[in-house]
Amino acid sequence: AALALSACSSQGKITQAVVIEEQREMVEKQIDRMPKWFTKIPVKDESIFAVGTAVTPDLQLSYDIAVLNAKTTLADRINGKVRSQTKNFIAKVGSTDLDVATLNEVEKVTKNIIADVDVAGYAVSEAEVFPDGTQYRAFVLLEYNDLEANKIIVNRLRKNRLAYSKLKATDAWKELEDEVEKSKQDEKAIL
């Protein structure tokens, strides 16, 4: 019985070692396939770049999630805010040279806030998809150009102004109709 348990234990260790080696090889393969632009993000005047990756069993979903991950990074680069707080507590314990010691406790909290950042106007600059086992690994590089983004914002403002003008015109028309109706009622009251 001891020999059987020992053999099972050895077999389990061998299987685990094989699985770990296969996983290590997959990681190395992914790193070799990773596009250069993924780790060396381009730099260009008036543009901000962001990368994203995802792996799923569905090709389109991998691509969509990679784009979403890149958009999150892009939003953080455009208007990310970081809050950080560090607390340091030091206490002396003991009273004699033989039992004196200090206790040191450090606590650090950091929060990255990305709230309602408009990233409209981004463009997919690069995209690559590779097999990852039985799934798809998508890599994307987004480019956010200030000039293109400004054009989109100006167009939105124009559309909003048009909507606002229509609303004001509707309100003005209603006010005019109310005044006319009030005037008619005032005339009836006089007669």
Side-chain angles (χ1 to χ4, degrees):
L3 284 174
L5 284 175
S6 174
C8 287
S9 174
S10 295
Q11 183 64 28
K13 288 180 183 178
I14 291 170
T15 304
Q16 186 178 13
V18 169
V19 168
I20 290 171
E21 180 60 25
E22 287 175 357
Q23 289 174 340
R24 188 186 63 72
E25 287 174 6
M26 280 184 64
V27 168
E28 286 178 1
K29 192 175 186 181
Q30 288 299 318
I31 290 171
D32 290 342
R33 284 185 167 172
M34 189 178 353
K36 298 292 182 222
W37 47 259
F38 193 80
T39 54
K40 189 174 180 184
I41 299 171
V43 177
K44 187 173 161 185
D45 288 344
E46 299 176 357
S47 287
I48 300 170
F49 292 90
V51 294
T53 186
V55 61
T56 72
D58 180 77
L59 175 61
Q60 185 64 48
L61 184 60
S62 292
Y63 182 82
D64 291 346
I65 293 173
V67 169
L68 182 61
N69 289 337
K71 284 172 63 175
T72 301
T73 302
L74 184 61
D76 185 36
R77 288 188 178 153
I78 292 169
N79 194 25
K81 295 178 175 135
V82 176
R83 284 187 186 164
S84 185
Q85 177 177 327
T86 304
K87 292 181 183 179
N88 189 13
F89 174 76
I90 300 174
K92 177 188 165 233
V93 291
S95 59
T96 68
D97 288 344
L98 296 175
D99 69 350
V100 73
T102 59
L103 299 175
N104 189 8
E105 183 178 318
V106 178
E107 179 181 286
K108 183 175 182 177
V109 178
T110 302
K111 186 176 190 179
N112 188 22
I113 302 163
I114 307 167
D116 300 328
V117 178
D118 191 348
V119 294
Y122 74 87
V124 176
S125 180
E126 299 271 356
E128 293 188 31
V129 178
F130 299 106
D132 187 352
T134 60
Q135 300 188 62
Y136 300 94
R137 164 75 63 182
F139 294 94
V140 297
L141 172 68
L142 300 184
E143 180 178 358
Y144 182 79
N145 183 287
D146 290 341
L147 300 174
E148 290 302 314
N150 285 340
K151 286 180 192 175
I152 290 170
I153 290 169
V154 167
N155 284 338
R156 281 186 187 168
L157 289 173
R158 284 184 184 145
K159 286 179 185 176
N160 288 344
R161 258 191 245 151
L162 181 61
Y164 180 70
S165 295
K166 285 181 181 178
L167 179 64
K168 289 292 275 180
T170 303
D171 288 346
W173 186 257
K174 184 171 177 1
E175 284 180 34
L176 179 61
E177 286 180 335
D178 289 347
E179 287 297 320
V180 169
E181 189 61 36
K182 183 179 173 193
S183 178
K184 284 181 184 177
Q185 289 180 1
D186 287 347
E187 285 179 17
K188 285 182 184 178
I190 294 173
L191 295 174

